[in-house]
Amino acid sequence: MADPRLTSEDMIDDSVQPTKPRVLLAASGSVAAIKFECLCRIFSEWAEVRAVATKSSLHFLDKTTFPRDVIFYTDDDEWSSWKKIGDEVLHIELRKWADLMVIAPLSANTLAKIAGGLCDNLLTCIVRAWDYSKPLYVAPAMNTLMWTNSFTQRHLETISELGISLIPPITKRLACGDYGTGAMAEPSVILTTVKLSYKP
Ligand code: PCO
């Protein structure tokens, strides 16, 4: 017999699965995009993942090796899916779908475009249309002298004012052989940062 001291709220229904967060992951054109597949893989163990890649990032990615459950979008998908008034506009649909967005790697060029309000590809259109009641994280990756360039400081201040959160780069040997700050934070650090601050 059911314990009369227990209310229905005390009973836990094991059959109800908690809904997974919907995470939009995006890669821009930095060598660190070689880590994007790993990022998608570890995020997809915690979240429902959709991935957006810029044209330049595709140089460092192999789309065919991505997890099957990750839907992958490129600039070509933006307008190939639109034929007439009333059809869905992809960057708006992805903005609505996502609970949060992470851009990793964020290249110096895409950082500058976001800070300047430019939107000339799928990734930057999503950011320009972003609803800042939802979190947006960036993990920059670039050469040390690009990172220490005063443009970067200005652009980071601007995007911080918009409400974008920074996952800072780390110091190590970079792809070009230079040693210094500018390497993308490790995928595991990006996942932990997002998970710890995620409030459903
Ligand atoms: C270098 N540019 C870069 C981009 C940032 N680098 C990184 C790491 C990788 C290897 O661990 C490439 C992921 O070094 O994030 O190196 C010169 S223009």
Side-chain angles (χ1 to χ4, degrees), residues 24-34 36 40 50-63 66 71-78 90-91 94 101-114 118-127 138 141:
L24 190 57
L25 295 178
S28 57
S30 158
V31 196
I34 57 171
F36 190 58
C40 289
R50 293 191 182 181
V52 171
T54 64
K55 195 171 177 218
S56 338
S57 77
L58 292 175
H59 190 70
F60 307 102
L61 305 174
D62 181 2
K63 186 178 157 174
F66 274 63
I71 308 177
F72 197 95
Y73 299 94
T74 61
D75 293 349
D76 291 343
D77 298 309
E78 172 86 300
L90 184 59
H91 64 268
L94 290 173
M101 181 173 186
V102 182
I103 309 173
L106 175 69
S107 68
N109 188 50
T110 297
L111 168 63
K113 287 203 278 188
I114 294 172
L118 301 182
C119 39
D120 62 352
N121 59 20
L122 179 57
L123 188 161
T124 50
C125 281
I126 297 167
V127 176
V138 293

Side-chain angles (χ1 to χ4, degrees), residues 30-32 34-35 141-143 146 172-176 182-184:
S30 158
V31 196
I34 57 171
K35 298 206 165 174
M142 60 192 78
N143 178 265
M146 287 174 143
K172 66 182 217 182
R173 180 83 46 208
L174 302 175
C176 52
M184 188 175 81

Side-chain angles (χ1 to χ4, degrees), residues 134-174:
K134 304 193 270 193
L136 200 167
Y137 300 85
V138 293
M142 60 192 78
N143 178 265
T144 305
L145 290 186
M146 287 174 143
W147 177 248
T148 54
N149 186 287
S150 62
F151 269 122
T152 304
Q153 194 50 44
R154 287 186 224 174
H155 296 157
L156 289 174
E157 278 165 21
T158 305
I159 68 163
S160 164
E161 283 163 16
L162 285 173
I164 296 175
S165 304
L166 175 70
I167 302 173
I170 55 175
T171 304
K172 66 182 217 182
R173 180 83 46 208
L174 302 175

